[in-house]
């Protein structure tokens, strides 16, 4: 359900961005590849021990493992998608899995990329991902309604 939400939010965000800023236009072909890539953007988490992902506090070693999941995802994507012989899908998916956790200020991971080094597609997917996280209930927090997601607690 999370991935479907992220895809829907991404679609709404990217359509608004393309409407407001035509220079960020993406073709239907590009959008299709990106939407397919969203299915796999966190696949690297699935090879980590579940015990790490369920912890309330993490050790430095746990944090290193988690921050490496985009590299693991890239290896998985390259191996699995290479069999489809769809170079564009491999390239889009690798770009997204490797860069969706980067941050504009350089504090993200795995490479600490910043600003224009992060592709626009990855930035937009991250916005959708954060919005989904804010509005969905988690074991440690209630989700905020879409109406008041930006109000302070």
């Amino acid at each position: 359900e999370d991935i479907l939400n992220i895809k829907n939010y991404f679609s709404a965000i990217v359509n608004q961005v393309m409407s407001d800023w035509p220079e960020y236009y993406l073709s239907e072909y590009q959008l299709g590849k990106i939407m397919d890539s969203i299915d796999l953007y966190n696949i690297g988490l699935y090879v980590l021990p579940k015990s790490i992902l369920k912890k309330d506090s993490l050790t430095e070693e746990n944090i290193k493992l988690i921050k490496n999941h985009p590299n693991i995802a890239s290896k998985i994507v390259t191996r699995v998608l290479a069999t489809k012989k769809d170079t564009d899908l491999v390239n889009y998916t690798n770009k997204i899995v490797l860069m969706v956790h980067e941050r504009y200020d350089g504090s993200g991971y795995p490479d600490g990329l910043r600003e224009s080094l992060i592709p626009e597609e990855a930035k937009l997917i991250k916005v959708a991902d954060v919005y989904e996280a804010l509005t969905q209930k988690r074991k440690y927090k209630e989700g905020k309604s879409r109406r008041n997601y930006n109000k302070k607690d």
Side-chain angles (χ1 to χ4, degrees):
E1 184 178 315
D2 293 350
I3 294 294
L4 183 57
N5 287 340
I6 291 169
K7 282 181 152 183
N8 289 334
Y9 301 148
F10 171 78
S11 182
I13 292 165
V14 80
N15 285 328
Q16 188 63 54
V17 166
M18 290 191 312
S19 173
D20 292 346
W21 296 282
E23 63 270 26
Y24 291 110
Y25 173 80
L26 295 169
S27 70
E28 287 298 318
Y29 178 82
Q30 290 170 301
L31 285 172
K33 296 298 179 189
I34 294 166
M35 292 295 271
D36 289 344
S37 299
I38 291 172
D39 290 332
L40 301 171
Y41 87 101
N42 263 339
I43 197 167
L45 288 174
Y46 294 100
V47 299
L48 297 177
K50 288 182 183 176
S51 59
I52 290 175
L53 300 176
K54 293 182 178 186
K55 286 185 176 182
D56 290 331
S57 64
L58 300 170
T59 65
E60 285 296 317
E61 187 62 31
N62 295 151
I63 292 169
K64 282 182 187 176
L65 286 171
I66 290 171
K67 287 185 173 184
N68 191 45
H69 90 266
N71 294 317
I72 296 167
S74 176
K75 289 176 185 174
I76 294 168
V77 162
T78 300
R79 275 190 230 130
V80 172
L81 294 183
T83 62
K84 292 185 178 274
K85 301 191 186 319
D86 186 341
T87 306
D88 286 344
L89 183 58
V90 172
N91 291 338
Y92 272 105
T93 305
N94 266 318
K95 183 176 9 175
I96 288 164
V97 301
L98 286 170
M99 298 183 191
V100 76
H101 297 289
E102 299 290 356
R103 292 192 179 164
Y104 196 78
D105 66 359
S107 66
Y109 61 89
D111 297 317
L113 299 179
R114 61 184 317 126
E115 299 177 13
S116 63
L117 295 176
I118 307 167
E120 300 305 323
E121 304 95 300
K123 291 175 190 174
L124 294 172
I125 291 168
K126 189 60 181 180
V127 171
D129 181 47
V130 168
Y131 183 76
E132 195 277 335
L134 288 171
T135 58
Q136 299 302 311
K137 182 179 180 178
R138 300 282 192 250
K139 70 177 186 174
Y140 52 86
K141 72 163 188 70
E142 290 295 318
K144 291 188 177 185
S145 74
R146 289 184 213 162
R147 256 198 228 145
N148 68 4
Y149 75 94
N150 60 350
K151 292 182 182 177
K152 291 185 178 187
D153 291 331

